[in-house]
Amino acid sequence: MFVIHMGSGCVIYTLVACWVGWIDLSAGLWQGIGMIAAQLAAAFLIWFFFLLHYRREAKEMNERIQEMKKGKD
């Protein structure tokens, strides 16, 4: 699921960045590849940290639910 989200988001971001002049297309192939790699790395890191955050939150919620279930018995 995240591949679809990241893929479409990064493609749209790159196209808009080229259109408004944030990425200089005349700079060369390697600079373009470097920019795309940096963009993908940043997007992946952001996604990864949110993944860790929400996993920890879900674990805490599940533990709390189990505690509530034990209290009812």
Side-chain angles (χ1 to χ4, degrees):
M1 180 63 119
F2 89 96
V3 173
I4 295 169
H5 183 130
M6 275 182 62
S8 62
C10 288
V11 167
I12 291 170
Y13 171 78
T14 303
L15 291 174
V16 170
C18 290
W19 182 55
V20 299
W22 293 346
I23 296 175
D24 185 15
L25 296 177
S26 64
L29 178 64
W30 288 110
Q31 184 178 4
I33 291 172
M35 295 279 286
I36 291 170
Q39 172 189 343
L40 290 173
F44 179 78
L45 282 174
I46 292 168
W47 169 82
F48 183 72
F49 286 125
F50 273 103
L51 172 76
L52 294 177
H53 169 74
Y54 287 123
R55 277 190 181 174
R56 187 182 76 235
E57 193 173 88
K59 182 180 176 185
E60 290 173 2
M61 291 170 68
N62 287 332
E63 288 172 355
R64 179 70 177 131
I65 289 169
Q66 293 303 320
E67 289 174 6
M68 292 172 67
K69 282 184 179 180
K70 287 180 184 177
K72 285 187 175 182
D73 293 341

